[in-house]
Amino acid sequence: MEKEISQAVIRRIPRYYRYLGELIDDGVERISSNELSARMRVTASQIRQDLNNFGGFGQQGYGYNVKYLYDEIGNILGINQQHNIIVIGAGNLGQALANYVKFEKRGFVIIGLFDVNPALNGISVRGIKVRMMNELEAFVKKERVDIAALTMPKEKADETANMLVSLGINAIWNFAHLDLELPEHVVVENVHLSDSLMQLSYNIAKQRKRKE
Amino acid sequence: MEKEISQAVIRRIPRYYRYLGELIDDGVERISSNELSARMRVTASQIRQDLNNFGGFGQQGYGYNVKYLYDEIGNILGINQQHNIIVIGAGNLGQALANYVKFEKRGFVIIGLFDVNPALNGISVRGIKVRMMNELEAFVKKERVDIAALTMPKEKADETANMLVSLGINAIWNFAHLDLELPEHVVVENVHLSDSLMQLSYNIAKQRKRKE
């Protein structure tokens, strides 16, 4: 039986993946937890502990095989398979997501953009056509959609998310500034930019006090 | 002496602020930790514990005064004062940030957009002019800049961040997909969208396994 891994660990794992990808680009084939620790600025014991959650991968006195670890973490993160994404809200943020070529390299492929604004109807972003919301249902029934990104105003976000779930989409990448109320089986990942700004301002205030 | 508050608590605090703001909009004047708990879907004891970090605010048998708590949390978060922001990178993401009117309501005011692309020179986003990077130094010397948002490609992000710090900017809101190497006094808040997507895909894979 697999043990439950905490979301705190899961939050750190993509960072390992990013660093290992850079090591591969640099031609590094193996690395000790101490070297990885210096590079990532986390303790070596933290690294060993995190990776032990997934069965270790390390070999005493040898270190980690970078490519193997990279691939294994990729498997764990589920990015060994393609994820099709639709973006609901084709404003600046939706278009920004559609323009991120890097997502595609990781298997996250944006296959559709949707909006209610007729001015956007039919325009293309990096070859991805913007469709109107009334075309959504037919689209989802035809294409496999794994993730819906919500980059729309918060007022209609909850309703839209529930509609998407009723169409069989079980994962929401939510940029709307509210907590969605969805059935328990739905996986939600929030990007709350205002919350992030407030965290920043808290840390600015703290830093100022420290200086005084 | 103030005690150190963990970043985990700080990550939860903006959410309280958001919910209290909604309560004010709904005309609610006071609320018990149990009611707030039901609304926010965290335990009442978690709420009491979190708010005790900042001195409590609650009164036995009375609950929380919503407006007072809202204002106090605002003070704690440092959003009782204006923060001026410049955005480095006026592509889709930079323009999306400039278009978020809500940030301004919280005192986060975007006062400048910068880019290297001459095609963007002089265009305006919600009245904010896009300037070229060679105008940055003069701008920062003339205006008070509290936060620089980096919405530029990662290749030049580290260099640019260090240049901004040398101009006296001590807070970076980093959207570039790397960990910046900056002096310790600099406050950094990262928004790593790829990491967030990978976390989502991990949870999708976990959910699929659960169903099998």
Side-chain angles (χ1 to χ4, degrees), chain A residues 191-205:
Chain A
V191 180
H192 288 324
L193 295 180
S194 295
D195 288 11
S196 161
L197 253 190
M198 288 191 233
Q199 224 172 300
L200 184 57
S201 88
Y202 172 82
N203 285 317
I204 292 171

Side-chain angles (χ1 to χ4, degrees), chain B residues 1-66:
Chain B
M1 206 191 80
E2 255 176 89
K3 67 172 170 169
E4 188 74 16
I5 292 154
S6 80
Q7 289 294 318
V9 174
I10 297 311
R11 261 197 295 276
R12 287 195 292 269
I13 292 301
R15 199 164 164 260
Y16 287 102
Y17 192 73
R18 176 150 48 92
Y19 274 83
L20 291 164
E22 285 171 13
L23 287 168
I24 290 173
D25 291 344
D26 294 349
V28 177
E29 287 179 12
R30 63 186 201 189
I31 193 164
S32 68
S33 54
N34 284 329
E35 288 169 292
L36 192 57
S37 151
R39 212 165 159 131
M40 291 187 63
R41 301 184 178 190
V42 291
T43 65
S45 99
Q46 170 90 79
I47 290 178
R48 282 188 294 266
Q49 209 178 307
D50 281 346
L51 297 181
N52 273 338
N53 275 295
F54 304 101
F57 311 122
Q59 220 174 299
Q60 200 69 39
Y62 172 88
Y64 296 107
N65 178 319
V66 173

Side-chain angles (χ1 to χ4, degrees), chain A residues 182-195:
Chain A
L182 295 171
E184 231 177 55
H185 72 275
V186 180
V187 176
V188 178
E189 171 73 19
N190 292 305
V191 180
H192 288 324
L193 295 180
S194 295
D195 288 11

Side-chain angles (χ1 to χ4, degrees), chain A residues 36-200:
Chain A
L36 192 56
S37 152
R39 212 165 159 132
M40 291 187 65
R41 300 183 179 191
V42 290
T43 64
S45 99
Q46 170 90 79
I47 290 178
R48 280 187 295 265
Q49 209 178 307
D50 281 346
L51 298 181
N52 273 339
N53 275 296
F54 305 100
F57 311 121
Q59 220 174 298
Q60 200 69 38
Y62 173 87
Y64 297 107
N65 178 320
V66 173
K67 182 70 174 67
Y68 176 76
L69 186 53
Y70 179 81
D71 289 339
E72 284 299 305
I73 291 184
N75 287 338
I76 288 162
L77 290 172
I79 53 186
N80 48 345
Q81 56 184 105
Q82 183 172 323
H83 290 87
N84 290 340
I85 304 182
I86 56 172
V87 177
I88 315 295
N92 287 120
L93 185 55
Q95 293 194 25
L97 296 185
N99 272 316
Y100 271 21
V101 188
K102 292 247 167 96
F103 293 160
E104 224 153 87
K105 283 212 282 185
R106 303 265 183 266
F108 297 98
V109 181
I110 296 181
I111 60 168
L113 283 160
F114 291 86
D115 208 295
V116 290
N117 181 358
L120 297 171
N121 196 1
I123 72 158
S124 282
V125 181
R126 208 167 54 84
I128 308 156
K129 207 178 112 183
V130 177
R131 293 177 170 85
M132 293 294 97
M133 281 300 276
N134 59 19
E135 301 171 67
L136 179 69
E137 188 169 341
F139 184 91
V140 172
K141 284 184 174 159
K142 210 174 121 228
E143 309 285 342
R144 198 194 81 216
V145 177
D146 302 298
I147 298 169
L150 294 190
T151 55
M152 52 184 298
K154 77 170 188 176
E155 286 68 24
K156 289 229 157 185
D158 215 34
E159 187 188 317
T160 305
N162 277 286
M163 184 264 285
L164 292 161
V165 169
S166 75
L167 293 174
I169 297 172
N170 292 320
I172 307 282
W173 197 21
N174 176 43
F175 290 78
H177 197 221
L178 83 169
D179 300 318
L180 300 168
E181 306 209 351
L182 295 171
E184 231 177 55
H185 72 275
V186 180
V187 176
V188 178
E189 171 73 19
N190 292 305
V191 180
H192 288 324
L193 295 180
S194 295
D195 288 11
S196 161
L197 253 190
M198 288 191 233
Q199 224 172 300
L200 184 57

